[in-house]
Amino acid sequence: MRGDAHLVLIGMMGSGKTTVGRRVAERLGRRLRDSDAEVEARTGRTVREIFETDGEAAFRTEEAQALAEALDDPEPVVVAAAGGVVLDPDNRARLRDAGTVVWLDATPEELARRVTRGSHRPLLGDDPLTALRRLDGERRPLYEEVADHRVPVGGRPLDDVVADVLTLVGAPA
Ligand code: S3P
C-alpha cells in the first residue's frame, strides 16, 4: 500500500487524538486527517445525525471508508482515527499496515473528566462515565492489538503527550 509511513493516533473518546494530532502534524509538517471530520465532509451530515437516522452500523460503514481513504493518502499524514475504528477487523488490518500506530490511553474515570459531549459523540448519552466504562471493557484489547506504542495521557500536560508522540516517530520534541 502507498503512504506506509503514516502516524495514526487511536484511543477512546476524550483521549485527545484530535488535539494531539493537530500539534504533532504541525511539528512534522504533515496534514492531519480526522476520520470523524472526513465522514461529516463526505456525507454532509453530522456523526450524530447519521447515528440517529441510519444507525450505528451505517456510521461504521462511512467510518471504514473514511479511514481507508486517509490511509491510502500517498503523502505521509497524521491520522486522528475515531475511537470505534478498532471494532472492525478490516480496519484493524489496515491500521497494522499503516505505519506507526500510537494509542493515547486513559482510564474511563479520566476520560469522563476530559470528554466533551459534542455533536459527534452520541454514544456518551446522559451518563458518560458508564458509557466509557463499557466501551473501555470492549475495546481495550483491540487497542492493545493494533498499537505499536501506548502513551498514557491521564493527568499529563498536553505538551508532554505531544513530546512523547514526537519521540516515538523519531522527531525531536
Ligand atoms: C465514537 C467516537 C467518536 C465518533 C462517534 C463514535 C466511538 O469519535 O466517531 O461518536 O465509537 O468511540 P472520537 O473518538 O473522535 O470522539
Side-chain angles (χ1 to χ4, degrees):
M1 93 187 273
R2 300 166 77 197
D4 60 352
H6 301 313
L7 167 61
V8 187
L9 300 175
I10 61 169
M12 292 273 282
M13 290 177 266
S15 59
K17 302 177 296 287
T18 303
T19 309
V20 173
R22 201 175 289 131
R23 291 272 299 271
V24 169
E26 201 174 291
R27 288 293 300 274
L28 295 175
R30 297 190 193 184
R31 196 151 80 88
L32 174 70
R33 299 192 63 158
D34 180 303
S35 68
D36 283 333
E38 297 201 8
V39 165
E40 295 193 343
R42 284 161 47 88
T43 61
R45 302 158 79 198
T46 66
V47 171
R48 183 179 296 276
E49 278 165 11
I50 301 170
F51 264 80
E52 287 176 357
T53 311
D54 299 341
E56 180 169 348
F59 170 73
R60 296 297 172 203
T61 303
E62 295 292 345
E63 177 178 69
Q65 190 64 35
L67 180 72
E69 279 179 19
L71 297 180
D72 273 344
D73 198 313
E75 299 291 324
V77 293
V78 176
V79 179
V85 295
V86 294
L87 295 170
D88 178 80
D90 291 339
N91 288 349
R92 295 204 296 279
R94 282 198 186 96
L95 288 169
R96 280 193 295 268
D97 286 345
T100 304
V101 179
V102 179
W103 172 23
L104 302 183
D105 186 24
T107 64
E109 290 73 19
E110 289 160 344
L111 293 168
R113 281 193 290 273
R114 302 159 54 106
V115 81
T116 54
R117 272 184 277 180
S119 65
H120 70 297
R121 290 174 172 159
L123 293 177
L124 292 178
D126 295 333
D127 182 357
L129 179 57
T130 301
L132 289 163
R133 283 188 175 136
R134 178 177 60 78
L135 296 172
D136 181 76
E138 292 166 8
R139 296 179 182 175
R140 185 157 288 274
L142 304 176
Y143 293 132
E144 261 161 21
E145 180 190 318
V146 296
D148 298 302
H149 306 282
R150 186 182 74 90
V151 172
V153 300
R156 302 182 64 210
L158 176 63
D159 282 350
D160 291 5
V161 174
V162 170
D164 279 4
V165 175
L166 288 168
T167 303
L168 288 171
V169 291

